[in-house]
Amino acid sequence: LILLIVYLKIQKKFRIKCAYTLFVVAIFWLTEALPLGVSALIPAFMFPLFGIMSSKQVASAYFKDFHLLLIGVICLAASIEKWKLHKRVALRMVMLVGVNPAWLTLGFMVSCSFLSMWLSNTSAAAMVMPIVEAVAQQIITAESELDGRHMLQFIYSQHSNTEILGQQEYREDKYNGIFKAMCLCIAYSATIGGWTTLTGTSTNLIFAEQFNTRYPDCQCINFGSWFVLSIPITVIILLLSWIWLQWLFLGFDFKSMFKCGKEKSAREKASARVIQEEYNKLGPISYPEIVTLVLFILMTLLWFTRDPGFIPGWSSLFPKYKGFATDSTTALVIGLLFFIIPTKPLSRTSNGENTGFGYTPLITWKEFQSCMPWEIAFLVGGGFALAEGCEVSNLSAWVGSKLTPLGSLPLWLIILISCIIVTSVTEVASNAATITIFLPILSPLVTIHVNPLFILIPATLCTSFAFLLPVSNPSNAIVFSYGHLSVMDMVKAGLGINIISVAVVMLGIMTWMVPLFDLYTYPSWAPIISSTNNTGL
């Protein structure tokens, strides 16, 4: 290793030094030999030692607009979790869909995916999973009582021991199927909901920041545009995943799903009882919950209306400072209010005087720190440093020149190959590390005269398709820890959802995303390429 570093030190080609740094960081990220955040600091000392960038240049790359957006979002998430607003929303959504097993599973998936749009996938799964466990246990208890009576009747009917054992195995498989379907629906919906918004998962934020840094003249990637492109993908994949899990573990009985006017079964009554009890424990909605909900709605509206595209947004009120206000501006303004607004309203006595109370804000600095994902902040910073290093050393241009022969392939095949590669890698590496590694590699594909978004949007979405293994992402690990799943259960279910997800992304990038970003037109904000279009459009 020392000899290699010495050789690279005297090597005059900076792109080789940068490629070596990228390789070392990628190995540490893939193996997780060191914490991801620690490995992300490697470019901070290797780039200056190799003469690629100065220490000041590298340090400035580690803190970007992304980090300000992350701070504002974490303020909101900390308040939501502290006052249990997320639990109230999840239970209410499940109560709306009813307690039929199929609809109950869908209700949990919708509520968990909605929460993961605004909270981390890990927080959404950790919050909803105990409720799912309690509901599933009650369902099994109710079913066991009924099955016990049926089994006694079955035994008294003088059936053979083989038939009795067969009945017992059938019931055990049915119980296991209920647990497996409900557990996996939480693991997968927490991931699916996360890619719907720019703030829902770190991979989206990393892509947006690196893309806007590489192409500063393009203002097409913001909260509103990302939501419009991803919400159809999320809805389609969520529904198809629900159907797949139902068919795989519970069977898909349309007749029982859409029955109307019939008396609820013991399973449905048990589910409804548990959910209602959990909701009653929350009591009436509190003042901090109301304030948090109002600030959440306000933040979302400000994100959507900043620059919607089809009409002038509120950012047009500042024409002299176009592009100065971003989504992070909104997040910081709202985030600051969580440290100002008190947890109790100011009340008055009968004489009209204000009553004194101990001032406590909605969240404290310690609560914010406990929720702040510092590892992700350093990881993203390391990704920015690597991206700048690739540009400064001309490694990106060199990689782009080597990828030029791909222009002879059809565009859909190029996208499919990149999606499959990224999806495969993200199963064994963290999502954030995967997108950080692949963005500098895929960005030079612009040299084949294709709109960069055609390649980068599907690849970014595919970095979240970590469904196969318990270690693929934290939400999988949380669900797996409850002990109802085997690794093969997750592989079998996850493989089907991976195929579904890649297929839906391919459908989206070739249909509704095309007019949204005018993908078939080479944009003016992209580098000027002298070669003609050879992508087989």
Side-chain angles (χ1 to χ4, degrees), residues 42-59:
I42 292 176
F45 66 84
M46 291 190 74
F47 281 172
L49 290 177
F50 287 153
I52 298 172
M53 297 170 66
S54 68
S55 291
K56 289 185 177 180
Q57 288 176 306
V58 179

Side-chain angles (χ1 to χ4, degrees), residues 96-268:
L96 288 174
V97 300
V99 292
N100 180 283
W103 296 118
L104 186 63
T105 304
L106 181 61
F108 278 124
M109 292 185 75
V110 171
S111 60
C112 189
S113 61
F114 176 77
L115 292 174
S116 67
M117 292 182 191
W118 319 103
L119 306 175
S120 70
N121 303 350
T122 308
S123 297
M127 186 281 299
V128 179
M129 193 57 210
I131 303 172
V132 173
E133 175 76 5
V135 170
Q137 291 287 359
Q138 288 297 321
I139 290 174
I140 297 305
T141 300
E143 288 283 330
S144 299
E145 292 177 0
L146 290 176
D147 290 342
R149 299 170 190 169
H150 294 159
M151 180 59 70
L152 289 174
Q153 296 175 358
F154 192 78
I155 294 172
Y156 291 146
S157 300
Q158 297 182 346
H159 287 82
S160 65
N161 290 336
T162 303
E163 291 175 320
I164 294 172
L165 289 174
Q167 284 289 320
Q168 290 176 339
E169 291 176 359
Y170 167 76
R171 287 174 170 79
E172 289 177 1
D173 290 341
K174 181 176 67 174
Y175 300 156
N176 290 334
I178 293 171
F179 275 117
K180 290 175 181 178
M182 287 193 168
C183 288
L184 288 173
C185 83
I186 298 305
Y188 297 154
S189 59
T191 301
I192 292 170
W195 67 60
T196 309
T197 61
L198 273 183
T199 59
T201 182
S202 59
T203 56
N204 295 351
L205 284 169
I206 293 170
F207 162 71
E209 183 62 30
Q210 290 206 18
F211 183 85
N212 291 330
T213 302
R214 182 181 288 269
Y215 306 108
D217 294 331
C218 175
Q219 298 296 325
C220 52
I221 298 297
N222 54 47
F223 189 91
S225 63
W226 186 267
F227 185 83
V228 172
L229 79 88
S230 61
I231 191 63
I233 294 176
T234 299
V235 172
I236 295 172
I237 294 178
L238 194 71
L239 290 175
L240 292 179
S241 301
W242 171 60
I243 293 172
W244 169 249
L245 292 175
Q246 287 293 312
W247 178 81
L248 197 62
F249 295 109
L250 298 176
F252 211 75
D253 188 353
F254 281 97
K255 185 177 180 180
S256 63
M257 282 177 58
F258 295 99
K259 64 182 182 180
C260 299
K262 294 185 179 179
E263 186 179 353
K264 293 180 180 179
S265 65
R267 174 194 293 180
E268 293 170 345

